[in-house]
Amino acid sequence: MKTLLWIPAVFAALAPLSALAAAAPERIALFRPSDGNTPVWGVSTRPDNDPNVWQDGLLVNDPTNVQFYGFFGTDGFFEDFNGDGLDDKVLVQTAPTVNDFTGFQVIVSFSGEDDISGTANDLIVPGAGGDWGFVGPDKEVLFGDIDGDNISDFGVTAPGASVFIDNTDPAVMDSLQWGMWQSQDVAGVPQNNGSNFTSWSAFGQISEGDVGLLADVNGDGVDDRVLHRPDAQTVFVDFSDPAGGWGDSGADDQVAVGAIGDTVAFSDINGDGFDDLVLIRENPTEDLFDLFGYYTNPNPGAGESYFDTSNPDIQSQFGDLTNDPGWLSPDKILFAQLDLPVDSGVLGDFNNDGEVNAADYTVFRDNLGGNTALPNDDGLGTPIAIGHYNLWSDNFGATTPPAAQAAPEPTTVVLCLLPLAAAALRRRG
């Protein structure tokens, strides 16, 4: 029986930011709300999944790219609630009253690969009666994965004055508070089960007009908190705990971007596992949106930002500003993962970058005991266990499919690693 080895932190630090499994580039998408018609969902195409070619325009009359689904008076999102790696259509329907959303509900229609044509209500999660605890008309709905299980979590951002109604501290009242209900490895829209709420955590200020988003900026598999301060044209990032949950409420990174009137979003444009910064600007002259993408630098130097916003890496135009009567303008620009990555064919290449190295061990370690299949696993499936380690060890150093040559023996570097993973298996068992 093989001894299960554990890479020391000092060795893993040699390539920690390449540890995420490679993903397919995300698509530009849109949600076109309606005041009486069925809302429109649109997704773009990307030629051959080329990360250097962003989508240009939306063929709104192309039935393969456009889907009618939902109800009027709703808001639309793309999120993964069944953990299959593909983003699903998500409707948030609200009927606000004085104190909460009576009839608040989330409705999900599952997507297929390169397919948003589904119209079934696969999930309907009502929020009436406080199923989510504290949701009200002054809150902004928030989706993202902050527990690292590859299933979207649900939450809100809210003014501190609404969350802590008896607190008179001006700083608390002016704070932007964040709260999330985590999925905890359970597929579906997470509801309040008494233990999955993060607790409220402040990051941002209401008086500054801060807008909260979630994105995995540093590529650790857990979404980070991001603030866009529009009047200052600045983005701030608070890295989340890599084990899941909020960070320390401080700005770990910040960068100036855009102009007044611009909005920002995040999307893995080039499929490297890091969410990239997207600047969205209305273009009334051409009646559409100009999109500017800035790739995330996976290895910033000391004092450097993850983003260089001096010049965009990629640009596109998308959507519609002035829709026909019956539609609410403008479109809401979204991003969606609708493509599964193609395996490299190198067994043990768990981050799918074409070679088996320490970064693949990190993917194994971080997913140990989990139920999300890894690429190039030779059919091992889930849960992630000792067999995955053996596959990685047997193929360490491989850069071509093993059918072409005998699998190399683990290198001296691997042999000198400390045998600590067995303890990790016991911890996670």
Side-chain angles (χ1 to χ4, degrees):
M1 178 177 179
K2 295 187 178 182
T3 300
L4 189 58
L5 302 178
W6 190 266
I7 293 183
V10 65
F11 180 76
L14 293 177
L17 296 180
S18 61
L20 276 183
E26 291 184 356
R27 313 241 196 134
I28 308 175
L30 64 77
F31 176 74
R32 180 170 296 168
S34 164
D35 61 1
N37 299 312
T38 304
V40 168
W41 302 76
V43 296
S44 59
T45 58
R46 182 193 301 273
D48 300 321
N49 277 340
D50 184 350
N52 297 311
V53 180
W54 218 8
Q55 308 92 343
D56 184 18
L58 172 67
L59 303 177
V60 294
N61 295 316
D62 182 350
T64 64
N65 282 6
V66 172
Q67 177 63 39
F68 295 87
Y69 167 75
F71 317 93
F72 65 88
T74 55
D75 196 4
F77 303 82
F78 276 104
E79 296 291 334
D80 184 5
F81 280 115
N82 58 358
D84 65 353
L86 301 172
D87 286 337
D88 311 307
K89 298 193 297 292
V90 180
L91 289 165
V92 176
Q93 189 174 32
T94 59
T97 63
V98 175
N99 297 317
D100 64 356
F101 282 129
T102 301
F104 177 88
Q105 61 183 358
V106 177
I107 307 170
V108 180
S109 179
F110 294 148
S111 300
E113 188 169 9
D114 193 24
D115 181 13
I116 63 165
S117 62
T119 58
N121 295 334
D122 296 299
L123 296 173
I124 302 179
V125 183
D131 288 347
W132 278 292
F134 195 86
V135 179
D138 57 351
K139 319 299 185 297
E140 295 294 333
V141 170
L142 200 63
F143 293 107
D145 181 10
I146 65 162
D147 56 7
D149 62 358
N150 299 309
I151 300 171
S152 293
D153 306 314
F154 167 80
V156 295
T157 58
S162 295
V163 176
F164 304 105
I165 56 176
D166 295 326
N167 194 309
T168 58
D169 183 341
V172 173
M173 296 178 68
D174 187 45
S175 64
L176 184 67
Q177 296 285 332
W178 304 59
M180 297 286 289
W181 290 268
Q182 300 169 93
S183 54
Q184 298 178 327
D185 288 310
V186 178
V189 183
Q191 298 186 74
N192 183 11
N193 65 16
S195 65
N196 64 338
F197 187 66
T198 58
S199 77
W200 293 104
S201 176
F203 183 53
Q205 295 175 259
I206 299 298
S207 59
E208 294 285 356
D210 290 342
V211 178
L213 309 99
L214 288 171
D216 187 7
V217 174
N218 59 0
D220 63 358
V222 178
D223 281 346
D224 309 302
R225 288 190 287 186
V226 180
L227 289 177
H228 179 217
R229 188 164 288 174
D231 291 344
Q233 301 98 59
T234 304
V235 168
F236 304 88
V237 182
D238 175 28
F239 295 137
S240 295
D241 185 336
W246 301 131
D248 60 5
S249 298
D252 299 303
D253 192 8
Q254 69 180 74
V255 64
V257 64
I260 292 178
D262 294 342
T263 57
V264 301
F266 287 83
S267 169
D268 186 0
I269 301 170
N270 55 5
D272 65 352
F274 295 79
D275 283 337
D276 307 301
L277 174 61
V278 181
L279 187 71
I280 303 171
R281 179 174 296 163
E282 293 186 2
N283 183 337
T285 303
E286 299 184 63
D287 193 29
L288 45 68
F289 294 90
D290 291 324
L291 278 66
F292 306 90
Y294 303 89
Y295 294 153
T296 302
N297 176 6
N299 295 290
E304 293 182 345
S305 171
Y306 276 78
F307 303 104
D308 179 359
T309 55
S310 56
N311 290 292
D313 296 293
I314 197 166
Q315 299 184 47
S316 185
Q317 293 183 316
F318 208 71
D320 193 353
L321 286 177
T322 55
N323 293 309
D324 296 331
W327 302 103
L328 303 178
S329 301
D331 290 341
K332 179 181 180 181
I333 299 297
L334 301 170
F335 299 89
Q337 179 56 271
L338 294 171
D339 306 278
L340 296 175
V342 178
D343 286 0
S344 68
V346 184
L347 297 182
D349 178 19
F350 298 144
N351 69 353
N352 210 29
D353 67 352
E355 58 182 322
V356 182
N357 53 24
D360 302 298
Y361 179 88
T362 304
V363 173
F364 158 75
R365 180 195 65 192
D366 292 347
N367 288 275
L368 187 59
N371 292 311
T372 299
L374 301 179
N376 305 299
D377 69 351
D378 199 25
L380 289 172
T382 59
I384 310 303
I386 182 65
H388 295 78
Y389 169 81
N390 291 338
L391 185 68
W392 168 80
S393 177
D394 287 344
N395 292 280
F396 189 89
T399 57
T400 56
Q405 62 184 32
E409 290 299 317
T411 66
T412 303
V413 172
V414 179
L415 292 174
C416 73
L417 302 178
L418 297 177
L420 301 177
L425 275 173
R426 289 193 294 269
R427 288 198 303 270
R428 300 194 183 197

